[in-house]
Each structure stands twice: as C-alpha cells, then as structure tokens.
Amino acid sequence: MEWGVTNKQFLVTRRSLVERLADWRDQKNWQEFFETYWKLIYSVAVKAGLTDSEAQDVVQETIITVAKRVEG
C-alpha cells in the first residue's frame, strides 16, 4: 500500500485518539479506541493460531496494557 495524504492523516488521527485516552473519565474516547482496534488485535491473535477465547483474552490484555501505559 502506498502511503498517501489520506494514510498520513489516518496516522495523525489515530495518534490523537491515543493522546486523548489520558482522561480516564472520557468514556467516548475509550470506546472509540476499543472499537477502532479490537478487531485488528483479535484478527492478529487468531492468525497467530490462538483460539477464539485466547484471542479475546489477548484483546482484553492489550487494552488493559494500553490503559496502564497511558496512566503512567
């Protein structure tokens, strides 16, 4: 895939979404983050050979890890 203006804008938007996660009370941004990334995380886990249940655990642990990193 060629990185055009649209893809660069997407990266900036995604970075700004992660930066907005610093406010723990902002449920909207956390929900947007989850909805944006859970399918990607899940599909990578399944492609790596994990079961559905294991892939769901990976999604949960990844989101928790992001939350801990944003907090600290």
Side-chain angles (χ1 to χ4, degrees), residues 21 23-34:
L21 296 178
D23 183 357
W24 278 87
R25 297 166 299 186
D26 194 336
Q27 294 284 325
K28 181 182 173 221
N29 283 327
W30 277 102
Q31 186 64 36
E32 182 182 352
F33 174 77
F34 181 80

Side-chain angles (χ1 to χ4, degrees), residues 16-57:
S16 69
L17 172 58
V18 172
E19 289 169 356
R20 292 191 311 257
L21 296 178
D23 183 357
W24 278 87
R25 297 166 299 186
D26 194 336
Q27 294 284 325
K28 181 182 173 221
N29 283 327
W30 277 102
Q31 186 64 36
E32 182 182 352
F33 174 77
F34 181 80
E35 290 173 3
T36 299
Y37 291 107
W38 83 265
K39 289 179 186 175
L40 173 64
I41 298 164
Y42 178 87
S43 67
V44 169
V46 168
K47 286 179 183 177
L50 299 180
T51 65
D52 172 67
S53 178
E54 292 168 330
Q56 289 180 32
D57 288 344

